[in-house]
């Protein structure tokens, strides 16, 4: 029976017409269908002796890698010349009939991405920030619902007139005076002093006892940066002992930073001005 079942599947795969009467189905009283991963042992039984058994079981346990099916192509397809090892990137317009089903399509694709059924082709990872992920989903939903095409291009910072002023570093950037920094180190730095500056530029990062700049997070990539945007970092490693972090945040970011540090369960030294009332961008 098993050989008959597999032969019918092979016939259909070759484009031939199979015979439904030769298909065997398990007794529903003893077998409940579900996700492939939940019934691997059953597939071991079904595929026993089949020449591609190992390959199919690999698909079930590790997923299907689309690159395994890619083949070099050289020629003309629909009037356009190609010579590629892998399929080139392409954008295809949605069919007009999709517009009336935009909600269903959006929900289906979003669900597939969230469950891992659909993955990004190539190396990459999603944003660490849940807020940024939600924004990306809203953009995706809007583009799909309105049947829009959004094309993104990378613009180097040096060529972006909106970025130039944010990329400037000056020696006069706000920072603690050497005298006050020495007092902070003495009272809160422990035996070895602070080991990290959470919000700084290369030009105003605080320095250790040897005069070297502390490792620091910056608002944008810089040569001395240990990471970009403190709100996208994992601060749980800063316990105040093995990793003793310091931060002198912009006034408007004091409350958001305190909330973020609390969520991360980090122990840090934070410097805030004694203002009354304190004008910050939120409550904590």
């Amino acid at each position: 029976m098993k050989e008959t079942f597999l032969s019918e599947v092979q016939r259909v795969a070759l484009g031939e017409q199979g015979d439904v009467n030769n298909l065997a189905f398990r007794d529903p009283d003893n077998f409940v269908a579900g996700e492939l991963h939940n019934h691997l042992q059953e597939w071991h039984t079904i595929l026993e002796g089949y020449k591609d058994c190992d390959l199919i079981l690999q698909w079930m346990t590790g997923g299907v890698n689309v690159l395994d099916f890619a083949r070099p192509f050289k020629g003309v397809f629909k009037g356009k010349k190609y010579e590629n090892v892998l399929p080139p990137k392409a954008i295809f317009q949605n069919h007009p009939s999709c517009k009336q089903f935009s909600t269903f399509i959006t929900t289906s694709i979003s669900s597939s991405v969230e469950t891992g059924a659909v993955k990004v082709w190539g190396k990459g990872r999603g944003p660490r920030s849940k807020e940024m992920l939600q924004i990306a989903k809203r953009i995706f939903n809007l583009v799909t619902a309105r049947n829009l095409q959004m094309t993104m291009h990378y613009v180097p910072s040096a060529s972006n007139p909106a970025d130039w002023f944010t990329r400037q570093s000056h020696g006069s950037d706000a920072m603690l005076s050497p005298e006050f920094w020495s007092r902070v180190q003495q009272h809160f730095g422990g035996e070895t002093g602070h080991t990290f500056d959470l919000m700084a530029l290369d030009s105003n990062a605080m320095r250790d006892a040897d005069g070297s700049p502390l490792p620091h997070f910056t608002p944008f990539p810089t040569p001395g940066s240990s990471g970009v945007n403190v709100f996208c970092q994992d601060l749980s490693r800063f316990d105040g002992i093995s990793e003793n972090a310091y931060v002198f945040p912009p006034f408007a970011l004091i409350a958001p930073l305190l909330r973020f540090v609390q969520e991360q369960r980090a122990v840090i030294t934070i410097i805030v001005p004694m203002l009354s009332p304190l004008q910050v961008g939120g409550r904590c």
Side-chain angles (χ1 to χ4, degrees):
M1 179 66 72
K2 181 172 62 178
E3 295 298 329
T4 303
F5 170 77
L6 291 175
S7 64
E8 290 301 320
V9 173
Q10 290 172 334
R11 288 179 59 187
V12 174
L14 293 174
E16 302 176 5
Q17 183 174 354
D19 186 352
V20 70
N21 294 320
N22 289 330
L23 293 179
F25 296 94
R26 294 184 176 270
D27 186 348
D29 293 333
N30 299 301
F31 178 78
V32 179
E35 294 182 354
L36 297 178
H37 308 288
N38 293 338
H39 303 286
L40 287 177
Q41 187 56 47
E42 297 296 332
W43 282 102
H44 277 280
T45 303
I46 294 173
L47 296 172
E48 183 180 355
Y50 184 54
K51 62 182 182 67
D52 293 323
C53 174
D54 293 339
L55 176 61
I56 295 176
L57 290 176
Q58 180 182 337
W59 290 345
M60 294 181 179
T61 55
V64 179
N65 186 353
V66 67
L67 295 180
D68 293 339
F69 299 91
R71 297 292 183 270
F73 177 78
K74 181 179 180 180
V76 178
F77 180 71
K78 291 190 175 181
K80 189 174 181 179
K81 293 183 178 180
Y82 294 93
E83 185 174 356
N84 303 86
V85 176
L86 297 175
K89 296 180 180 179
I91 298 176
F92 303 94
Q93 293 283 358
N94 291 332
H95 191 274
S97 62
C98 295
K99 189 173 183 179
Q100 58 181 319
F101 304 108
S102 60
T103 301
F104 170 76
I105 295 173
T106 300
T107 303
S108 299
I109 296 178
S110 299
S111 176
S112 298
V113 172
E114 291 178 358
T115 59
V118 176
K119 297 183 179 179
V120 176
W121 179 12
K123 296 182 179 180
R125 60 184 179 183
R128 298 180 184 179
S129 169
K130 294 182 179 179
E131 290 76 12
M132 292 299 295
L133 180 59
Q134 292 302 320
I135 292 174
K137 287 183 178 180
R138 290 175 61 185
I139 294 175
F140 171 78
N141 292 340
L142 175 64
V143 170
T144 306
R146 302 295 177 86
N147 197 31
L148 302 175
Q149 175 180 321
M150 182 173 65
T151 304
M152 294 179 287
H153 300 278
Y154 171 71
V155 179
S157 180
S159 303
N160 188 350
D163 274 0
W164 73 268
F165 67 93
T166 67
R167 300 298 190 255
Q168 306 303 308
S169 297
H170 304 282
S172 60
D173 287 321
M175 59 188 300
L176 299 183
S177 66
E179 178 184 359
F180 195 80
W181 172 240
S182 177
R183 293 169 58 185
V184 171
Q185 287 280 64
Q186 180 181 355
H187 287 85
F188 306 105
E191 296 182 358
T192 59
H194 290 89
T195 59
F196 209 99
D197 193 337
L198 295 181
M199 301 180 74
L201 299 173
D202 291 352
S203 59
N204 69 350
M206 302 312 298
R207 298 178 178 271
D208 60 20
D210 297 327
S212 301
L214 294 177
H216 51 280
F217 296 139
T218 56
F220 47 82
T222 63
S225 176
S226 297
V228 176
N229 191 350
V230 64
F231 293 100
C232 292
Q233 307 300 326
D234 180 5
L235 304 186
S236 60
R237 62 189 175 97
F238 297 109
D239 57 5
I241 302 175
S242 59
E243 286 278 4
N244 192 1
Y246 148 89
V247 63
F248 180 22
F251 300 163
L253 293 180
I254 292 174
L257 180 64
L258 287 174
R259 286 197 299 270
F260 184 66
V261 169
Q262 185 178 29
E263 292 173 358
Q264 298 277 312
R265 298 183 180 276
V267 179
I268 68 169
T269 300
I270 181 170
I271 304 298
V272 297
M274 187 177 292
L275 300 178
S276 181
L278 181 60
Q279 300 296 323
V280 296
R283 296 180 299 174
C284 61

